């Protein structure tokens, strides 16, 4: 019974960690670090528009903070072309994160953990879905929600994974797959795809 309680507590911790990760993507303004990354990306992407005063930094922050609401057709239609870029970026980020979280477990099972993480590392850029997913996996492996193994905080997760012996590598793979199972569930439940769009964003 005590063992069952520990397992239940562990699963609850994993689920809560995954939920918070997806929440940071869906409502980035609720997490200081995530919002800072996204805001800096948008400021860089819209640099010319900011210089031409077609949009203000304050407006970018306002739109980003209320992005889920602006996805409603009536609210989206009320925005200018430049303002829609902020919401379009947010929408694409969420769709991609949802898609990648869904596909990554199969990629790991087919190609191995090290190769899959290396692929994400090669694709990640500040402010994109691969970057957030990579960070969330790394943060999970540094958390107290893992069993038998946790990541060395001083090492990048790819560097750490490829340095593991075969048994520890298997433990790390199992841990990340369990976490991704929760992440996928929450991403599919919380991040809605556009109505009428049956194909997830592949870019």
């Amino acid at each position: 019974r005590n063992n069952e309680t520990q397992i239940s507590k562990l699963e609850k911790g994993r689920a809560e960690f995954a939920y918070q990760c997806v929440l940071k993507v869906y409502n980035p303004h609720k997490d200081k670090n995530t919002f800072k990354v996204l805001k800096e990306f948008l400021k860089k992407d819209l640099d010319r528009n900011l210089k031409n005063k077609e949009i203000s930094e304050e407006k970018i922050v306002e739109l980003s903070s209320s992005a889920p609401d602006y996805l409603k057709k009536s609210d989206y239609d009320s925005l200018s072309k430049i303002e829609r870029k902020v919401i379009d970026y947010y929408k694409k980020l969420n769709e991609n994160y949802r898609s990648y979280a869904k596909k990554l477990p199969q990629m790991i099972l087919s190609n191995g953990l090290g190769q899959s993480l290396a692929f994400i590392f090669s694709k990640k850029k500040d402010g994109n879905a691969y970057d957030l997913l990579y960070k969330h996996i790394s943060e999970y492996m540094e958390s107290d929600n893992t069993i038998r193994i946790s990541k060395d905080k001083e090492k990048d997760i790819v560097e750490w994974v490829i340095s593991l012996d075969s048994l520890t590598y298997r433990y790390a793979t199992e841990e990340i797959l369990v976490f991704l199972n929760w992440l996928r569930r929450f991403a599919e439940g919380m991040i809605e795809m556009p109505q009428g769009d049956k194909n997830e964003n592949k870019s």
Side-chain angles (χ1 to χ4, degrees):
R1 185 180 294 271
N2 186 46
N3 195 35
E4 286 179 8
T5 303
Q6 286 182 320
I7 292 171
S8 177
K9 186 177 180 182
L10 183 66
E11 279 302 292
K12 185 178 179 182
R14 286 167 167 165
E16 176 63 23
F17 195 95
Y19 172 79
Q20 290 299 327
C21 288
V22 176
L23 192 64
K24 289 175 184 179
V25 182
Y26 188 67
N27 284 318
H29 65 285
K30 291 190 175 182
D31 179 69
K32 179 174 63 176
N33 293 329
T34 304
F35 193 61
K36 182 180 178 182
V37 169
L38 302 191
K39 188 176 75 171
E40 290 305 311
F41 172 86
L42 284 165
K43 281 170 60 181
K44 186 176 179 180
D45 191 51
L46 299 174
D47 181 60
R48 185 187 301 174
N49 306 112
L50 283 164
K51 287 178 178 176
N52 293 338
K53 297 185 177 179
E54 296 168 316
I55 193 169
S56 65
E57 187 175 333
E58 292 75 21
K59 190 63 178 178
I60 290 175
V61 170
E62 179 201 327
L63 290 167
S64 301
S65 299
S66 307
D69 296 326
Y70 279 107
L71 283 174
K72 296 172 185 173
K73 184 168 176 28
S74 57
D75 293 330
Y76 182 83
D77 289 347
S78 70
L79 300 175
S80 70
K81 184 178 179 181
I82 304 304
E83 290 169 344
R84 288 181 187 180
K85 280 189 173 184
V86 177
I87 306 305
D88 289 343
Y89 162 73
Y90 165 84
K91 177 181 168 186
K92 182 179 179 183
L93 176 73
N94 273 265
E95 289 174 6
N96 284 347
Y97 186 91
R98 182 184 192 271
S99 177
Y100 302 158
K102 183 178 179 180
K103 293 174 182 176
L104 186 54
Q106 187 56 52
M107 184 188 295
I108 291 172
L109 291 171
S110 299
N111 303 317
L113 179 62
Q115 190 172 333
S116 299
L117 289 175
F119 172 78
I120 297 173
F121 182 83
S122 71
K123 294 287 186 179
K124 75 183 187 75
K125 296 177 182 176
D126 283 347
N128 75 2
Y130 280 118
D131 182 46
L132 293 180
L133 188 59
Y134 191 82
K135 285 177 181 175
H136 293 164
I137 294 170
S138 184
E139 288 167 2
Y140 169 73
M141 290 305 296
E142 293 173 2
S143 74
D144 297 327
N145 300 297
T146 60
I147 186 172
R148 295 184 296 196
I149 185 172
S150 58
K151 185 178 95 63
D152 180 352
K153 293 184 179 182
E154 299 302 314
K155 287 186 177 181
D156 183 86
I157 191 165
V158 168
E159 180 189 357
W160 174 72
V161 163
I162 62 177
S163 71
L164 299 176
D165 60 62
S166 59
L167 180 63
T168 315
Y169 182 92
R170 192 171 80 231
Y171 289 158
T173 301
E174 290 171 359
E175 277 293 346
I176 289 174
L177 284 172
V178 169
F179 168 64
L180 289 173
N181 188 43
W182 281 110
L183 197 73
R184 174 187 58 79
R185 288 186 200 174
F186 286 120
E188 290 183 333
M190 294 165 63
I191 300 172
E192 296 181 7
M193 298 299 292
Q195 291 185 352
D197 184 4
K198 295 182 181 178
N199 296 315
E200 295 186 350
N201 197 318
K202 296 179 181 179
S203 61

